[in-house]
Amino acid sequence: MNLTPSSIGQKLLIAFSMMAGLMIIAVVIGVAGFSLVAKTERTVINAAVPALVEARQLSDLSTRIIFNAQVLAKSKDEKERDQQGKSLTLHIRALNNSLEALDQYAFEPELMEQLVTDVENIVNNLAMLGMLVGRKIELSEQVKVLNNTMTLATKQIDELSQSQVSNANTIAVANVSRIYDLVEKGNQEAVFNALDSLVEVDMDLSERLFELRFLSLQVINMLDDSEQISTIRELDKLRDRFEYAVGVIQQRVKSVEDPSRSEQLLEQVKALDSDGDFFSDMEALIHANQDVERMEQQNLVLFQQLNQTVDGIIQAANVGTQQAVKQVDETLTIARNSLIAISALGMVALVLIMWRYVYARVIRRINDYSKALMALARGDLAIRLTTQGDDELAQMGRAIMVARDTAYERHRLAQVESKIRYELQQHKNSLEQLVAERTSQLEKANEKLNKEVHNHAKARSEAEQANRAKSAFLATMSHEIRTPMNGVLGTASLLADTGLNDKQAEYLKVINRSGETLLDILNDVLDYSKIEAGHLDIRPANFSLHTLVKDVYSLFSGRALSKRISLVTDIDDNVGEHWVGDATRIRQVLANLVGNAIKFTEDGQVTVLVSASAHDPSRLHIEVEDTGVGIPLHEQEMMFTAFHQSSEGRQAVGGTGLGLAISKRIVEAMGGEIGLVSSPGEGSCFWFTLTLEPGEHTETASVDTAAGIPAAKILLVEDNPVNSLVAEGFLRRLGHQTVVAEDGREAREVYAEHDFDIVLLDINLPDTDGVSLLGELKQLKGKRGDEQEPDNTPFVAFSAHVFNEEVEQYLAAGFSGFLPKPLVEHQLVDVLNSILGGVERVGIIEGEPPFEQGSNKHHTEDKRESGVDTAMAENMPILDESVLGSDLQVLGQAMVEKMISLFADSSQQTMDKLLPAMQSGDLALVASLSHNLKGAAGTMGLRQLHQVCLEIEKSAKEGTVEEEAANALEAVYQESLTALDNTFAGD
């Protein structure tokens, strides 16, 4: 590159060369100054700083030793003491190492000698502290052992005295009972003597034994309080209280008359005589604790002296460090001042160079050209430039002017392009804004929808969980309450036949009324739970309204008479007698309203009014009016809410508050309305309306079901002795022979040895459940003898679980019937009559064979094993309606329909397997499947299907099955399903 004298490059080269020379001079001075600073720093690092570090480390070790000494003083056992002692040893070694390291630095000899002396005193004091702590731990263990021994002895005294108190109370109760007997006999002198003995002997003995228990508990508390004693004065007070209590205990032990108990109590009292050693050890332990605390205080004083000495060493080290740092500061000051002077000279030279060469000849002209270019950039095309000289900047100025002319033309074109671009950009922004708004709306809607879905799923899950919990609770409550109620009501029913006097009979009536009231409350809770779950069944049938009202009147007339109030019924003449409706539910509602009216009426009368609408004769209006306490207006709206009662009702009689809520649900389920009108102090009128269809008169036959049942041999499997007593009493009163088994094991043994006409099987047994035991007993009886034969003994489930779902499970498992708890005699009679009616009995005399020897026996067995011929099967009826008819009376239409549905499903699955097996010749499978179908058909009363399955099973066991048998089986099966559907299907 050629540099001319007038060129800008020549001028800038000279200026920058001078600036570089000034920088080199400044660097030389800086390097020399920093070398001197580095030398001074090495002196500080090698001498002053290490001494200061060692001194601070010595201070840290002192702090750690203080902490470990405090932990050592608080040690609770020898292991912790040994661990802290080892830690102190390590820290003391490190302390000695720091002392040796400090000797190599130039500290004052007096300070170093004082430091060594302080360390030796601390080491000696810590050794003494360790010995004192060991003594304290040893005494603590001794005190703890003695405390535990005396505490155990005192607890034994408390337990033995508790049994004596119970014996004394028992004796006192027995004497009181004897006094009552003497009072009934009228022997006043014997009564007075017995009372004197009760007061002077029994009550005095009880008081002494109670005092013995109280003092033993006081001794236990004093032994517990001994752990909090910290002074000799408190220990002396505790010792006086303890010795007094032990002395009284020794006196009260002598009151125990039982020799063995008295000897045991005396042995335990002897253990309390070691209190002298206990309190002496406690006193020594308190002194040991005080010695340890005193030694801790001495340690703190010694460590304060050590810390003062260490502070002196640290201060001396700091002084040395400060002197070294001062030297470094002085060196840095000299170097800094030199650099400042050089920098000032350089700055002056730089300013002159920049002004003369750079600014005047280059920068100012460049600024002018830059302003011109910026004006061009802003679109100002009216600029003017004055160019001088012939250097590079002058050429640049002329080029700018040429660019100005060129830019003018481009500016014109750019305006047109800018306008077009602006319009396009506006359109684009409008579209983007529209898309963004729509996207935001969709995102918000989607987020809200997802949140709703999540909330619905969560609410559904919580509702399902709550419903399951409620069902489990109600099932448990039903079982737990019905089981004891079975014993109460059943035993009372049996007791009524034992020849009671008038007073006993009155007491028995109270028991029955109380038990029935409790059962009504339980039924209210269960009814409400069923209604709440949507399981309320309405079963319309012909009924007599006059009979229904009369039944309710008969039910509550005695209760009204006992309260000396009138119960009046009035049915309008225009109200028909026979209607179609659910009489049970209507009776339940009316009985609830009448019962409430009598309950809350103390004077006056309760009136039942039945009328029909003048505009619609089929709309019945039933009112229950009373002259009771009435209901305030603000409480009337809540009367039909579950678990709610009026304030007067709660104060007067209590109750569950479910009756009106259940009545409202029932009336609404039948399409009616219910309400009330009431004035406080004047009475209330509860009413409900129903729209029913007119019915017709139906004859109801009344037969003595129990009289038609021959005596039978019955196995009762029940673990509850009360329930067993009730059921056995009912059965014996009906003339049946009963064998009782308390659990599954006993049931298997009895069932294997004897034949029974029927088995009553409790579902809940201690060692198994009724469903599992049913299968085991059937298999057990089927395996007797040389040949495998089916067990046709009927089984009846006996349980307090009365929900429909549970009853369905029992029937589906193979039970022939179900009896709820508490057991009601007429229900037992109905079930026995429906299952055992017309069936031959096994022998019912214990010890005799089930059947008599001879031709009759063989004839019966032949009929049962080989069956009858096909012609006889065809002469049998398709369906024996009495079988399911009895179940219909006990379980209701809905349950029977579910039984039929279960049979249809299970039997269809069996038929789908049985027909192919008959075609393929699988005789073992044919025998098994036909046996299963035969049992199910017998349970449903399908006589022809039962007989055909019996013939097929017999043929399969003999090794041949005819082809026509499959066609006959399929035809009978279809006819059986049709008969079931036509006979028992609901409307």
Side-chain angles (χ1 to χ4, degrees):
M1 181 179 68
N2 296 325
L3 296 178
T4 61
S6 61
S7 65
I8 295 176
Q10 180 69 29
K11 299 172 183 177
L12 292 176
L13 178 61
I14 295 172
F16 287 121
S17 296
M18 295 175 66
M19 292 171 60
L22 292 174
M23 291 179 61
I24 291 172
I25 295 172
V27 167
V28 171
I29 295 174
V31 169
F34 284 117
S35 297
L36 183 59
V37 171
K39 181 179 179 181
T40 306
E41 284 182 346
R42 282 194 295 272
T43 302
V44 174
I45 293 172
N46 294 331
V49 173
L52 182 60
V53 171
E54 290 295 338
R56 293 189 182 279
Q57 184 176 3
L58 187 64
S59 177
D60 292 340
L61 288 173
S62 173
T63 303
R64 295 178 185 177
I65 293 174
I66 292 174
F67 174 74
N68 285 112
Q70 292 175 347
V71 176
L72 175 63
K74 300 298 186 298
S75 298
K76 299 299 181 181
D77 51 36
E78 191 64 29
K79 181 178 179 182
E80 185 177 0
R81 171 178 168 268
D82 183 61
Q83 181 180 0
Q84 297 302 324
K86 291 180 180 179
S87 179
L88 282 172
T89 302
L90 294 176
H91 292 323
I92 290 173
R93 289 178 182 174
L95 186 64
N96 290 326
N97 293 334
S98 296
L99 288 176
E100 294 175 359
L102 285 174
D103 288 339
Q104 62 183 340
Y105 301 109
F107 290 109
E108 295 180 5
E110 293 79 4
L111 284 176
M112 296 302 300
E113 291 176 1
Q114 181 65 37
L115 183 61
V116 172
T117 302
D118 293 341
V119 171
E120 290 178 354
N121 292 335
I122 289 173
V123 171
N124 294 333
N125 204 41
L126 289 177
M128 181 60 67
L129 178 62
M131 294 175 58
L132 291 176
V133 171
R135 173 61 177 166
K136 184 186 75 171
I137 292 174
E138 181 180 358
L139 289 173
S140 298
E141 292 296 331
Q142 293 177 3
V143 169
K144 184 177 180 181
V145 171
L146 290 173
N147 192 327
N148 292 337
T149 301
M150 291 190 290
T151 300
L152 180 60
T154 308
K155 290 182 178 179
Q156 292 293 330
I157 292 173
D158 178 62
E159 293 177 358
L160 292 172
S161 61
Q162 182 179 2
S163 65
Q164 292 303 307
V165 169
S166 301
N167 293 338
N169 291 337
T170 303
I171 293 173
V173 171
N175 289 334
V176 171
S177 300
R178 188 168 64 85
I179 290 172
Y180 280 116
D181 295 337
L182 293 175
V183 171
E184 291 181 357
K185 294 178 180 179
N187 191 346
Q188 294 185 354
E189 182 178 358
V191 170
F192 293 148
N193 293 334
L195 288 174
D196 292 340
S197 176
L198 176 65
V199 174
E200 296 174 358
V201 178
D202 297 335
M203 294 183 66
D204 181 67
L205 178 59
S206 298
E207 181 180 0
R208 291 175 179 272
L209 292 176
F210 272 116
E211 185 179 7
L212 177 59
R213 283 203 63 200
F214 175 73
L215 291 173
S216 62
L217 294 176
Q218 275 193 337
V219 170
I220 293 175
N221 291 335
M222 285 187 281
L223 291 174
D224 292 337
D225 294 340
S226 65
E227 298 178 358
Q228 310 298 327
I229 298 299
S230 60
T231 63
I232 299 299
R233 183 176 179 182
E234 294 177 351
L235 182 64
D236 292 338
K237 291 182 180 179
L238 181 65
R239 181 185 299 173
D240 294 339
R241 292 172 54 205
F242 183 85
E243 291 177 352
Y244 171 77
V246 171
V248 176
I249 288 175
Q250 291 176 345
Q251 296 298 324
R252 294 298 176 260
V253 166
K254 297 177 183 179
S255 302
V256 178
E257 298 178 355
D258 188 350
S260 61
R261 298 294 185 182
S262 178
E263 182 178 356
Q264 293 177 5
L265 288 169
L266 290 174
E267 291 178 358
Q268 300 303 326
V269 171
K270 290 179 181 179
L272 298 180
D273 291 338
S274 60
D275 62 323
D277 295 337
F278 174 74
F279 284 102
S280 62
D281 288 344
M282 280 291 298
E283 184 175 357
L285 178 60
I286 292 173
H287 287 302
N289 287 328
Q290 293 174 351
D291 293 339
V292 170
E293 292 177 358
R294 207 165 33 248
M295 191 60 64
E296 279 190 275
Q297 296 298 325
Q298 293 179 5
N299 281 334
L300 293 176
V301 174
L302 292 175
F303 276 110
Q304 288 177 356
Q305 295 176 359
L306 176 62
N307 289 334
Q308 290 176 358
T309 305
V310 172
D311 289 341
I313 293 175
I314 292 175
Q315 186 175 4
N318 286 334
V319 171
T321 303
Q322 289 174 359
Q323 291 176 354
V325 171
K326 184 177 180 181
Q327 293 177 1
V328 173
D329 289 340
E330 292 175 354
T331 304
L332 288 174
T333 300
I334 294 171
R336 183 175 61 252
N337 293 336
S338 299
L339 287 175
I340 290 173
I342 297 298
S343 299
L345 293 176
M347 183 61 65
V348 173
L350 181 61
V351 170
L352 292 176
I353 293 170
M354 293 296 293
W355 174 262
R356 182 70 181 85
Y357 290 96
V358 177
Y359 178 74
R361 299 185 179 182
V362 177
I363 294 178
R364 188 170 59 184
R365 295 168 66 188
I366 290 176
N367 286 336
D368 294 338
Y369 297 157
S370 176
K371 293 178 181 179
L373 290 174
M374 292 298 294
L376 286 176
R378 292 194 301 268
D380 185 6
L381 302 181
I383 60 171
R384 295 289 185 268
L385 284 179
T386 301
T387 57
Q388 296 177 356
D390 194 20
D391 55 12
E392 293 89 343
L393 290 179
Q395 295 176 4
M396 183 185 297
R398 287 188 286 270
I400 290 173
M401 298 303 293
V402 174
R404 181 198 63 180
D405 298 335
T406 304
Y408 177 79
E409 184 62 26
R410 291 182 177 179
H411 175 68
R412 187 183 61 80
L413 298 175
Q415 288 180 341
V416 177
E417 182 181 359
S418 176
K419 182 179 180 181
I420 297 173
R421 185 180 294 110
Y422 174 78
E423 294 176 353
L424 292 175
Q425 185 65 34
Q426 288 294 107
H427 183 65
K428 177 183 176 183
N429 293 339
S430 176
L431 291 177
E432 290 178 350
Q433 182 178 3
L434 181 61
V435 171
E437 291 177 356
R438 185 56 180 166
T439 302
S440 176
Q441 293 175 357
L442 291 176
E443 289 176 351
K444 291 180 180 179
N446 188 37
E447 181 181 359
K448 184 177 181 181
L449 180 60
N450 290 335
K451 186 176 181 181
E452 290 294 329
V453 171
H454 175 73
N455 292 337
H456 290 171
K458 183 178 179 181
R460 182 174 62 255
S461 176
E462 292 176 352
E464 292 174 353
Q465 184 177 2
N467 189 43
R468 289 193 296 269
K470 182 185 70 176
S471 299
F473 166 75
L474 291 174
T476 303
M477 185 184 71
S478 171
H479 180 270
E480 295 301 328
I481 298 180
R482 284 176 178 271
T483 297
M485 284 303 300
N486 182 43
V488 174
L489 297 180
T491 307
S493 177
L494 295 175
L495 187 61
D497 298 333
T498 59
L500 306 177
N501 57 38
D502 294 340
K503 191 171 186 179
Q504 291 171 336
E506 181 65 24
Y507 290 158
L508 184 61
K509 291 179 181 179
V510 174
I511 294 174
N512 280 323
R513 286 197 299 270
S514 301
E516 291 169 357
T517 301
L518 181 58
L519 192 61
D520 289 340
I521 293 175
L522 174 63
N523 290 334
D524 281 349
V525 175
L526 296 180
D527 283 345
Y528 186 75
S529 67
K530 291 178 181 179
I531 292 171
E532 206 174 35
H535 295 161
L536 178 62
D537 295 330
I538 303 299
R539 300 169 182 170
N542 286 293
F543 74 97
S544 170
L545 180 60
H546 292 69
T547 302
L548 186 149
V549 175
K550 183 179 179 181
D551 290 343
V552 174
Y553 175 84
S554 300
L555 180 64
F556 291 98
S557 59
R559 189 181 303 180
L561 183 63
S562 65
K563 296 187 70 174
R564 297 183 179 181
I565 60 177
S566 300
L567 177 59
V568 179
T569 61
D570 184 9
I571 303 177
D572 286 353
D573 296 336
N574 61 342
V575 177
E577 179 177 357
H578 300 287
W579 300 87
V580 176
D582 193 332
T584 301
R585 296 299 184 183
I586 298 174
R587 184 183 294 107
Q588 180 180 355
V589 175
L590 183 58
N592 181 268
L593 298 182
V594 174
N596 285 345
I598 295 175
K599 184 188 302 183
F600 297 109
T601 301
E602 298 299 332
D603 187 20
Q605 70 178 18
V606 175
T607 306
V608 179
L609 302 175
V610 182
S611 60
S613 173
H615 303 286
D616 186 3
S618 64
R619 186 169 182 81
L620 300 180
H621 186 79
I622 303 175
E623 298 180 0
V624 178
E625 185 176 353
D626 62 66
T627 58
V629 294
I631 303 170
L633 181 62
H634 66 277
E635 294 185 0
Q636 294 181 12
E637 295 182 357
M638 300 296 294
M639 290 305 300
F640 294 97
T641 304
F643 307 106
H644 180 83
Q645 289 180 287
S646 66
S647 57
E648 295 291 339
R650 289 194 300 271
Q651 296 174 2
V653 296
T656 62
L658 287 176
L660 292 177
I662 294 173
S663 299
K664 185 175 187 298
R665 296 292 185 92
I666 293 175
V667 171
E668 291 177 348
M670 291 188 291
E673 298 178 357
I674 188 170
L676 69 97
V677 177
S678 179
S679 297
E682 298 181 3
S684 303
C685 177
F686 284 82
W687 56 267
F688 65 96
T689 60
L690 296 173
T691 301
L692 304 176
E693 295 181 2
E696 57 185 14
H697 177 68
T698 56
E699 295 291 339
T700 57
S702 177
V703 297
D704 187 359
T705 56
I709 305 177
K713 186 175 181 181
I714 300 175
L715 173 60
L716 173 64
V717 184
E718 170 59 66
D719 62 311
N720 189 299
V722 177
N723 294 340
S724 177
L725 175 66
V726 172
E728 187 177 4
F730 284 163
L731 293 172
R732 291 188 183 279
R733 187 162 67 181
L734 295 172
H736 302 296
Q737 182 181 5
T738 307
V739 178
V740 180
E742 296 182 354
D743 53 27
R745 178 189 60 78
E746 187 175 346
R748 287 188 286 269
E749 294 176 358
V750 173
Y751 195 74
E753 296 176 358
H754 303 280
D755 290 330
F756 295 94
D757 296 301
I758 191 171
V759 178
L760 303 182
L761 182 55
D762 187 12
I763 294 299
N764 298 96
L765 295 172
D767 56 348
T768 183
D769 63 274
V771 176
S772 301
L773 184 59
L774 169 66
E776 295 176 5
L777 295 181
K778 284 186 174 291
Q779 293 180 0
L780 185 66
K781 187 60 67 71
K783 293 180 180 179
R784 294 195 310 174
D786 298 333
E787 295 183 1
Q788 183 81 11
E789 61 182 49
D791 180 15
N792 295 323
T793 303
F795 286 76
V796 176
F798 185 44
S799 174
H801 296 291
V802 297
F803 285 118
N804 293 342
E805 296 81 359
E806 295 167 329
V807 176
E808 292 175 8
Q809 293 176 3
Y810 304 151
L811 298 177
F815 284 97
S816 301
F818 174 77
L819 281 173
K821 294 180 182 179
L823 187 61
V824 181
E825 187 173 12
H826 73 83
Q827 292 180 349
L828 175 63
V829 172
D830 291 341
V831 172
L832 293 178
N833 186 46
S834 65
I835 296 177
L836 296 179
V839 179
E840 280 192 70
R841 302 288 184 265
V842 302
I844 64 171
I845 300 176
E846 191 69 19
E848 292 186 5
F851 297 99
E852 307 227 350
Q853 302 291 337
S855 60
N856 290 338
K857 170 188 174 184
H858 294 295
H859 175 70
T860 303
E861 290 179 350
D862 290 342
K863 284 181 65 178
R864 185 177 58 203
E865 295 297 330
S866 61
V868 298
D869 55 17
T870 305
M872 183 175 293
E874 293 176 354
N875 294 329
M876 290 182 177
I878 291 290
L879 175 64
D880 185 357
E881 299 180 5
S882 63
V883 176
L884 284 182
S886 62
D887 291 342
L888 181 63
Q889 296 176 3
V890 177
L891 302 176
Q893 178 68 30
M895 187 61 66
V896 171
E897 290 178 0
K898 290 185 178 180
M899 290 174 57
I900 295 173
S901 176
L902 291 172
F903 169 78
D905 296 338
S906 60
S907 62
Q908 185 61 53
Q909 295 177 3
T910 304
M911 287 290 293
D912 294 340
K913 298 177 182 178
L914 178 58
L915 294 177
M918 295 176 68
Q919 295 176 359
S920 62
D922 190 351
L923 299 180
L925 182 59
V926 170
S928 175
L929 294 174
S930 59
H931 172 74
N932 294 338
L933 186 57
K934 178 190 69 176
T939 302
M940 303 301 293
L942 300 173
R943 299 282 297 279
Q944 279 195 19
L945 182 59
H946 179 276
Q947 186 61 36
V948 171
C949 291
L950 178 64
E951 291 292 332
I952 294 175
E953 180 185 5
K954 176 183 177 183
S955 300
K957 291 181 178 179
E958 292 175 355
T960 59
V961 177
E962 298 178 357
E963 295 181 0
E964 294 79 8
N967 297 331
L969 172 63
E970 189 171 5
V972 172
Y973 174 73
Q974 296 298 332
E975 292 176 1
S976 299
L977 292 181
T978 303
L980 284 174
D981 186 68
N982 294 336
T983 305
F984 294 100
D987 295 334

